[in-house]
Amino acid sequence: MLDVFPGSNAPRAVAVLLHPSIVPVIDVFRSLDLLEDQYDLALLDGPEQGLTAYTGQEAAKGIVSDALLLAFALTRQPGGPFAYRPVGSRHGSLDEFCLLTLIASSRNLGSDLAVEAASLLDVASLDVMGPLTGEILRHMDAGDLVFALPSLPEFRAMMGTRSSEEVLVEAAPGKAERNLRH
């Protein structure tokens, strides 16, 4: 679920509620952020175990391995550090949502959605990131992981790159679809 509340004088607030199956995927990246402070690969055990509930053991290991490569590649990009939520949180940051959108849009790296997500993450080359995000997506597709790719207007509304209006996006019960209401 996503809520955008532009009507107040306060800065625009956006809440991203991740599907429970996607939390372990983003937890890999959250754990890698913690890895900078304390270099202990055991931090990745929790997300890997969480992933096995939705994928097989091999796919879980593949996601963790490929996410490691992607995270290290992203740290070499010109942008600053990402905003991460705590490990295990279903509430995602805009950076996390943007990263998931980039991964999910890797089937069509030439799309406006992929290009805008990469741009917001300061990705210099989709040629380098494309194979990394594609491998993560391939492993995600092998399991029961639910992340519905937003449309370009949904993505822009969330990221605040176009007009600010109230947007509510909900996952349909039992389906990986979205309903958009204005």
Side-chain angles (χ1 to χ4, degrees):
M1 177 196 279
L2 162 78
D3 294 316
V4 179
F5 305 104
S8 71
N9 291 334
R12 193 174 68 92
V14 176
V16 177
L17 185 61
L18 302 172
H19 189 276
S21 68
I22 289 299
V23 173
V25 174
I26 206 65
D27 276 352
V28 173
F29 292 94
R30 291 169 174 168
S31 296
L32 292 173
D33 188 49
L34 297 172
L35 203 60
E36 291 179 11
D37 298 330
Q38 42 182 311
Y39 196 78
D40 183 4
L41 291 177
L43 290 170
L44 298 173
D45 290 345
E48 185 176 320
Q49 289 302 319
L51 282 167
T52 59
Y54 301 99
T55 67
Q57 184 68 35
E58 290 305 310
K61 286 181 188 260
I63 290 171
V64 170
S65 175
D66 293 333
L68 270 168
L69 293 173
L70 178 60
F72 289 135
L74 288 170
T75 60
R76 297 196 175 272
Q77 299 300 307
F82 290 175
Y84 288 106
R85 299 293 172 131
V87 171
S89 175
R90 284 191 60 201
H91 295 273
S93 71
L94 288 178
D95 286 343
E96 292 169 342
F97 184 79
C98 196
L99 178 60
L100 288 168
T101 300
L102 179 61
I103 291 168
S105 66
S106 64
R107 282 188 188 91
N108 186 4
L109 288 174
S111 71
D112 289 342
L113 183 60
V115 170
E116 285 194 32
S119 175
L120 288 172
L121 293 172
D122 288 323
V123 169
S125 171
L126 280 174
D127 293 336
V128 173
M129 297 300 168
L132 298 172
T133 59
E135 280 301 303
I136 294 171
L137 184 62
R138 186 178 63 80
H139 292 299
M140 288 173 62
D141 286 345
D144 292 327
L145 301 173
V146 178
F147 182 77
L149 189 63
S151 68
L152 186 58
E154 288 173 339
F155 183 75
R156 287 176 173 166
M158 290 179 66
M159 296 300 144
T161 57
R162 292 292 189 263
S163 65
S164 61
E165 55 189 70
E166 186 171 319
V167 176
L168 176 62
V169 179
E170 297 178 26
K175 295 183 180 178
E177 298 175 356
R178 293 182 177 260
N179 298 322
L180 175 65
R181 290 183 273 165
H182 292 283

